[in-house]
Amino acid sequence: MGETVQAHVMMSFLASEELAFRIPVELVYEAQDPYAVRFTFCLPGDAPVTWVFGRELLVDGITGQAGEGDVHIGPVDDEYLADLHIQLHAGAERAVFRVSAPPLVAFLDRTDRIVPLGHESAGDDIDAELDRILTGGRA
């Protein structure tokens, strides 16, 4: 279960209604943490910032509004595979990003090939069985 999926996508950071600039974002999915996807945002002049998203939240956000609390994801319009808005809230601060859906869909498809959605807990069973074997059946 040590497989990793990585991708680099370009997103628009919407600084205001008048100002947006493109930034690189690294996406990382690790089979050992099958529910999470890490986004590392590389904003000019700042240290990279990593946010952890639920993989299922990302999948849901491709076709409709998804998220509660600090993270909201959803299509910009009703067009199939429309661009997505990703809104992040940290206290009073808010950041909004716009990303093309197809690269995100392709990334999520690759994650699904190593750990299918809905089968994430199967890795827990494998780890428990391996522990049992390595401890001579005493786990």
Side-chain angles (χ1 to χ4, degrees), residues 11-22 44 96-98:
M11 292 188 186
S12 293
F13 172 58
L14 308 177
S16 70
E17 289 187 28
E18 298 83 27
L19 178 62
F21 49 93
R22 304 213 8 108
V96 179
F97 300 88
R98 185 172 180 147

Side-chain angles (χ1 to χ4, degrees), residues 50-80:
T50 300
W51 279 66
V52 179
F53 295 82
R55 181 170 63 151
E56 190 172 344
L57 172 70
L58 295 170
V59 170
D60 291 346
I62 290 170
T63 57
Q65 297 300 317
E68 297 178 11
D70 294 340
V71 178
H72 297 268
I73 301 171
V76 172
D77 59 43
D78 292 332
E79 184 179 320
Y80 179 69

Side-chain angles (χ1 to χ4, degrees), residues 34-50:
Y35 296 100
V37 175
R38 286 167 179 67
F39 281 45
T40 300
F41 298 89
C42 300
L43 297 167
D46 286 332
V49 175
T50 300

